[in-house]
């Protein structure tokens, strides 16, 4: 029923028994252990709560500071924590300049174009230094940007993207990178919310061998921002091939500029890094939540970078001489923390790949790994499932060897984990299943790769300094071994935690802290556990298994989509009266959205036409990643007597699982007719054993 008082996940013991099969342990090899960064068996003691917050001095000390901090953690205004308070540093200096003394000729970034016959581009630390300086000079003197300004960056996976981010960091300009696959309108919403007056974009890029016209999205973005009252003065366009424009969309005179043209005036320019307070914001990253409006997650300079670097060192086992490849997109938090900031702060070589993993075939990632001799590989379950589906035997055909592999973003099924371990890792590599979020800056739960055994399907314990706890609805702790699912929270703050939601501190406090705060007046961090919004189980061995979101967020191929955002897009179609979006299990992407709409009375529109309009609206307002698998036109939506749409019932129908008791609905008959419609067209097999996020979807109405 729609009476859950708050975000809840209710799982009884019988249901758990069906889902909680203990998997066997796997152990790291002696070879891995012998070279690992984190081999100190006392590390958990050192990072214990008795030693909190001073334990995080160790992470702060990985960075170079202009002025050392005076207070490791300032808790005077909970939950607005300040890490390394009083410290001054510059993030770009830490990721670039400080490596010049001993690594200037070493590759910082290796860019692999999607077209296989195009050459890799190797950018050494010296070259990165030059490019970041020139770009910073251009942004400052031509773009008119200064410390504290926001700038929206809507770019694909090209090396100019990290260069632009680091140039912003050099100036203290707050960047807001919008994933390149998002639509122009979605970018425009984020421009307006952040108050950016400059948009940095690209002309195009390759995807599945075809040029994507990216510049056209900039025009839509600027128009959308204007509708929302935000003026964009300049659009800076990086060209995929300097001097050659690959987009068909005209440049707007006086507003749009090619970066490579403008940059000619800044050849050889140097810009002193601007010393920033540890708590000055470094960037915003928009993510989806329960309401239709994306949240601008604000991250700090000092705490964020220290945490990204510390976890990259301890959990990813990054050494300066590794070749590390994370296949994520820099437009998501994984790319920020673990393609750009963490790896570069440690002075390693970070590989970035432009395109899709299966282009031109599913052997591509393994050819890249072989050629560059990548030894750390980082990706998401969606890609692993896809690569297994199309090329299960391909990894063994290539001569590459990973010491460590990462999975992130979604729960990984144990059998997918085993394929990753056996075939991709060749039974040599340690795997870390890292659970975390845009909001958390870096990893929260994972095994320590040289110290803990791995367990397929489980993220593992909290990483050093992170103390997870699982609460039930009444804030009672569900300890390890209790075999009950609950809401996972973190007891303590940590340096990578978000600072606030841009422009909406009340929403920040409400979303992440109000549910389990013990006393809103308290200045003691112990009273402010962080509420992550995921359901989880704590096994007796202290390993955590993440079950999925407890809010109205669908995780599609590791990308967070808010169901309310999709529903708002549907409601822009004049014929649509009501819309509901539910997740459907997909063997590759994890989940995909499915849409139900009811038409306005008297509308006799052609259903096919309305369905097409709905799909277009979603693609235009959000992006192709949100494309629904089906749009169902229903005569009415199943509703409670108070008129609320029962999304839970629709999710059950879409996944062909039992709908439960619907007799108390205002219109129980509609359920049967929707079921018949969906079943007759999809013929999905009946599911009795649905994943927990599906089973509990829409319990919060
Ligand atoms: C999910 C991505 C299971 C989770 C870094 C979380 C995971 C959301 C895992 C955050 C994992 C992330 N196992 N689920 N290892 N990692 N998730 O903000 O539901 O894009 O809340 O950050 O992804 O997604 P976000």
């Amino acid at each position: 029923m729609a009476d859950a008082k708050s975000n809840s996940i209710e799982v009884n013991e019988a249901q758990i028994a069906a889902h909680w099969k203990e998997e066997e342990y796997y152990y790291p090899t002696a070879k891995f252990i012998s070279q690992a960064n984190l081999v100190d068996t006392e590390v958990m003691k050192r990072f214990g709560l008795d030693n909190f917050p001073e334990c995080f001095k160790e992470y702060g000390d990985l960075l170079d500071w202009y002025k050392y901090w005076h207070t490791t953690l300032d808790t005077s205004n909970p939950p607005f924590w300040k890490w390394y308070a009083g410290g001054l540093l510059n993030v770009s200096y830490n990721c670039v300049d400080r490596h010049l003394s001993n690594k200037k000729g070493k590759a910082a970034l290796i860019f692999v174009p999607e077209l296989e016959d195009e050459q890799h581009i190797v950018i050494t630390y010296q070259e990165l230094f030059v490019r970041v300086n020139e770009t910073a000079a251009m942004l400052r003197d031509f773009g008119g940007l200064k410390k504290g300004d926001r700038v929206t960056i809507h770019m694909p996976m090209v090396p100019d993207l990290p260069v632009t981010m680091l140039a912003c960091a050099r100036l203290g300009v707050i960047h807001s990178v919008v994933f390149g696959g998002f639509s122009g309108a979605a970018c425009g919403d984020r421009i307006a919310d952040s108050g950016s007056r400059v948009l940095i974009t690209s002309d195009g890029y390759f995807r599945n061998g075809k040029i994507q016209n990216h510049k056209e999205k900039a025009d839509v973005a600027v128009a959308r921002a204007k509708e929302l009252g935000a003026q964009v003065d300049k659009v800076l366009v990086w060209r995929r091939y300097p001097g050659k424009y690959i987009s068909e969309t005209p440049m707007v005179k006086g507003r749009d500029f090619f970066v490579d043209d403008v940059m000619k005036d800044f050849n050889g320019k140097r810009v002193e890094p601007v010393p920033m307070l540890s708590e000055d914001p470094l960037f915003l990253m928009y993510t989806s939540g329960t309401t239709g409006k994306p949240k601008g997650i604000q991250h700090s300079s000092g705490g964020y970078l220290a945490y990204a670097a510390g976890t990259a060192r301890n959990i990813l086992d990054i050494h300066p001489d590794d070749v590390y490849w994370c296949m994520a997109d820099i437009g998501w938090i994984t790319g920020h923390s673990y393609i750009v900031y963490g790896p570069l702060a440690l002075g390693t070589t970070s590989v970035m790949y432009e395109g899709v993993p299966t282009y031109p075939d599913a052997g591509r990632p393994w050819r890249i790994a072989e050629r560059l001799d990548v030894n750390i590989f980082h990706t998401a379950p969606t890609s692993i499932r896809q690569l297994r589906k199309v090329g299960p035997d391909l990894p063994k055909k290539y001569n590459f060897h990973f010491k460590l592999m990462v999975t992130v973003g979604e729960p990984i099924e144990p059998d997918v984990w085993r394929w990753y371990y056996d075939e991709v890792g060749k039974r040599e590599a340690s795997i870390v299943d890292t659970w975390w979020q845009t909001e958390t800056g870096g990893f929260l739960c994972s095994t320590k790769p040289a110290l803990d055994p791995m367990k397929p399907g489980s993220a593992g314990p909290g990483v050093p300094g992170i103390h997870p706890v699982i609460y039930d609805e009444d804030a009672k702790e569900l300890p390890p071994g209790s075999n009950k699912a609950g809401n996972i929270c973190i007891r303590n703050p940590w340096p990578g935690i978000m600072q606030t939601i841009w422009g909406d501190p009340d929403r920040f406090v409400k979303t992440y802290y109000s549910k389990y705060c013990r006393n809103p007046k308290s200045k003691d961090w112990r009273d402010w556990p962080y509420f992550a919004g995921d359901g989880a189980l704590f096994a007796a061995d202290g390993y955590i298994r993440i079950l999925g979101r407890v809010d109205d967020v669908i995780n599609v191929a590791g990308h967070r989509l808010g169901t309310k955002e999709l529903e708002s897009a549907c409601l822009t179609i004049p014929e649509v009266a009501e819309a509901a979006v539910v997740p459907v299990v997909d063997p590759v992407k994890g989940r995909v959205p499915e849409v139900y709409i009811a038409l306005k009375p008297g509308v006799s529109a052609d259903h096919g036409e309305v369905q097409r309009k709905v799909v277009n609206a979603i693609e235009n307002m959000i992006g192709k990643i949100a494309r629904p698998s089906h749009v169902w036109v229903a005569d009415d939506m199943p509703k409670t007597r108070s008129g609320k749409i029962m999304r839970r019932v629709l999710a059950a129908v879409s996944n062909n699982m039992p709908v439960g008791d619907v007799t108390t609905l205002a219109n129980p008959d509609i359920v049967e007719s929707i079921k018949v419609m969906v079943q007759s067209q999809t013929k999905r097999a009946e599911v009795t054993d649905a994943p927990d996020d599906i089973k509990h979807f829409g319990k919060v109405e």
Side-chain angles (χ1 to χ4, degrees), residues 285 287-288 332-334 338 381 407-412 432-440 442-443 445 457-459 532-535 545-551 553 555 558-560:
M285 159 120 323
T287 191
S288 297
W332 303 108
I333 192 69
T334 300
Y338 300 119
T407 167
V408 62
E410 313 153 65
I412 184 165
V432 286
D433 179 347
T434 58
W435 170 72
W436 61 297
Q437 309 175 302
T438 304
E439 291 88 339
T440 72
F443 303 142
C445 287
S458 288
D534 276 321
R545 179 157 173 148
I546 301 295
L547 302 173
R549 304 287 311 184
V550 296
D551 55 11
V553 168
N555 191 334
H559 307 322
R560 264 166 82 168

